[in-house]
Structures are given as C-alpha cells and as structure tokens.
Amino acid sequence: MEELTQQYRIHPKQMRTELKRFSLIYKFALDEMNTKINILKEEFIHIHDYNPIEHCNSRIKSPESIINKLSRKNLGFSIDSIRENIKDIAGIRIICPFITDVYKISQMIENQQDIELVERKDYIKQPKPNGYQSLHLIIKIPVFMSDRVEMVFVELQIRTIAMDFWASLEHKIYYKYDKEIPERIKKDLKDAAISAAELDKKMESINNEVAHLKVKENPDSELLISTETLNIQKTNFQSILNGFFVDVPKEVKK
C-alpha cells in the first residue's frame, strides 16, 4: 500500500478521488449483478412457481487482501495493475437447491447480452483435490459512470446448499487450526465432500421423480376435466419442466 501511496504523494487529492472512484465502481458492479439475480429470482417465483435460488451473498475484497494478492503474484502496485489482474475484487455467491439449478442459473447469466464471460471453472464436474465443488464464473459487466463506461470484473460462485455447507465448515476448520492439518483430517473432509455430493445427486433424483409424478396426476380431482384438456395441461406443464431442466455434464450424473 505504501508503494501505491507513494505514486500519488505529490497529488493526495487525486489519489483520494481515484481510490474512491475505484472502490465505488466495484460496489456499482455488485449492485447491477444483484439486480439481475433478483430479477431472475422474482421471474421464477411468480411465473414458474419455483425458486432456483435459495439465497446469495456479495462482498468486496478488502484493500489488505488485494495488496497481499498483488504481492503473491509479483504484480505492480498500481490502480491499473489491480484493475487488470485482480478479477475477484467483487464477488457474489449464489446458493441453489439442486445441481440442475446451478447450471440453469449459469446459462441464464452467461446468455445476457451485456455480460462478457471471461473464465469458467467447473469444480462440480472436476472437484478440487480436497473435495471442493462449485461452479466459478469470471464475468465482465458494464458500469455506466457519469463520464465513461467501465467494464468491471465480477466473480460468481454458484453452488448447491450441500456444497456451500461443506465449503463453509471446511473453511472454519482450517482457520481454527493455524498449523498444517493432519492427513487423517484431510481424508475425513474429502470423505464428507463425497457424501455431500452423493446427497446432492440423491435429492436431485427425488426432485425429478416428484416433478414427473405431478405431470401424471390430475391437477384437481374435484373437477371433471376432459381427457383432451388434461393432456393440454400436462403438455404445458411438461414444457415448463423441459424449459427449466438442463443437461448436466455426464461426470456429474455418475
């Protein structure tokens, strides 16, 4: 930070203005992405009568974390260096009920015209060695300022409830113990990650079975509905289901 401050020592007012604008722009990017996510959430609740987003959290990386990351990567200490090289300053974590929801939300976000996909890492298809699973997207989103348009990096982590439960507890366990974690505990944590993944697949299977049962059932047994009308209702409901469910990579289905 001292090196960054040194560059603006002659013009401290300029430094304050640039740093304030720099931090605000990431807040604005988060505001825009949170609005997009809330729109998707509201649409599904009111139109599809289903919510593929349990909840989401957002954060801006602290100045200390940014400087530490620059140091680890041997990058220059400047605003331009931070802007170009640190792509996770603004971060959003989206928690979904099922694996299918993760990929559906990802598709909808990636397909928005004003969003540029920069990087996609699928740790569901290929989990990290410790068992961690999540879908990571680095995107660029336009932020319209008074005098220009800035394309701002935002990191999205999209995962299921089970994945988030495991990742949160694993993080707390590692930070509670400030030494090297024993191998047996690492193995137990990975076994727990495997169990969480199996639970995800089981709950997805149950959810799909229940959805198909709803298609087969008469929506209102008290009313006399003709076979033709019932078939139309089933077709409409099935089209909604088909529009919602997406193909999950084969490796995930195993």
Side-chain angles (χ1 to χ4, degrees):
M1 182 65 77
E2 291 179 4
E3 188 173 340
L4 183 62
T5 305
Q6 180 67 29
Q7 298 179 34
Y8 294 96
R9 192 176 296 279
I10 301 175
H11 303 289
K13 185 176 180 181
Q14 179 187 354
M15 182 189 75
R16 286 196 299 270
T17 301
E18 288 201 28
L19 288 177
K20 187 173 183 180
R21 181 189 286 262
F22 180 76
S23 59
L24 274 176
I25 208 161
Y26 286 96
K27 177 189 178 298
F28 298 152
L30 285 182
D31 289 344
E32 288 194 30
M33 275 310 304
N34 280 320
T35 297
K36 287 176 176 292
I37 292 166
N38 286 332
I39 288 172
L40 292 176
K41 188 175 180 179
E42 290 287 322
E43 178 188 354
F44 269 90
I45 290 173
H46 294 294
I47 297 179
H48 302 299
D49 196 28
Y50 176 76
N51 184 11
I53 301 173
E54 282 289 321
H55 62 273
C56 59
N57 302 311
S58 58
R59 61 102 182 101
I60 295 179
K61 192 179 281 291
S62 68
E64 292 78 13
S65 295
I66 294 172
I67 298 303
N68 288 338
K69 194 162 189 178
L70 286 173
S71 180
R72 288 197 308 271
K73 293 189 170 188
N74 296 317
L75 297 168
F77 288 78
S78 69
I79 294 293
D80 288 339
S81 178
I82 295 171
R83 182 183 289 112
E84 292 302 317
N85 296 293
I86 309 300
K87 300 176 182 178
D88 61 346
I89 293 176
I92 298 179
R93 182 174 299 152
I94 304 173
I95 312 303
C96 302
F98 304 106
I99 296 173
T100 302
D101 300 328
V102 171
Y103 288 101
K104 185 61 179 179
I105 292 299
S106 171
Q107 282 184 3
M108 289 187 288
I109 291 173
E110 291 177 44
N111 289 338
Q112 295 198 15
Q113 292 183 356
D114 60 344
I115 288 179
E116 176 188 343
L117 179 65
V118 177
E119 188 176 64
R120 191 176 198 266
K121 292 184 178 179
D122 192 340
Y123 296 117
I124 300 175
K125 181 179 178 181
Q126 294 181 324
K128 288 186 177 182
N130 66 345
Y132 174 87
Q133 294 191 46
S134 186
L135 181 64
H136 289 196
L137 305 178
I138 299 292
I139 63 170
K140 270 187 174 182
I141 181 171
V143 173
F144 296 86
M145 305 295 287
S146 60
D147 57 348
R148 66 184 186 275
V149 178
E150 289 261 6
M151 293 299 293
V152 184
F153 287 112
V154 178
E155 181 193 51
L156 301 178
Q157 296 179 357
I158 314 175
R159 60 179 67 154
T160 65
I161 300 168
M163 293 172 195
D164 189 58
F165 173 76
W166 181 90
S168 297
L169 293 186
E170 190 260 2
H171 180 77
K172 288 182 180 180
I173 290 169
Y174 266 74
Y175 270 75
K176 181 180 288 188
Y177 193 72
D178 59 359
K179 300 178 182 179
E180 179 66 20
I181 296 291
E183 287 300 320
R184 62 180 179 82
I185 295 180
K186 289 181 180 180
K187 182 180 182 303
D188 286 343
L189 284 170
K190 186 166 185 177
D191 289 343
I194 293 171
S195 297
E198 290 174 350
L199 177 62
D200 261 334
K201 292 168 190 173
K202 183 64 175 177
M203 296 306 292
E204 181 100 42
S205 175
I206 293 171
N207 181 62
N208 290 343
E209 186 175 352
V210 169
H212 287 300
L213 285 174
K214 282 185 177 181
V215 173
K216 293 179 181 179
E217 290 177 355
N218 188 327
D220 190 346
S221 59
E222 297 296 323
L223 298 176
L224 294 177
I225 303 177
S226 68
T227 303
E228 182 179 354
T229 303
L230 185 57
N231 286 337
I232 291 172
Q233 289 175 337
K234 288 180 180 179
T235 301
N236 290 340
F237 190 81
Q238 186 65 55
S239 66
I240 292 173
L241 292 177
N242 291 339
F244 179 74
F245 291 120
V246 298
D247 289 334
V248 176
K250 293 180 180 178
E251 291 84 348
V252 176
K253 292 181 178 180
K254 291 180 181 177

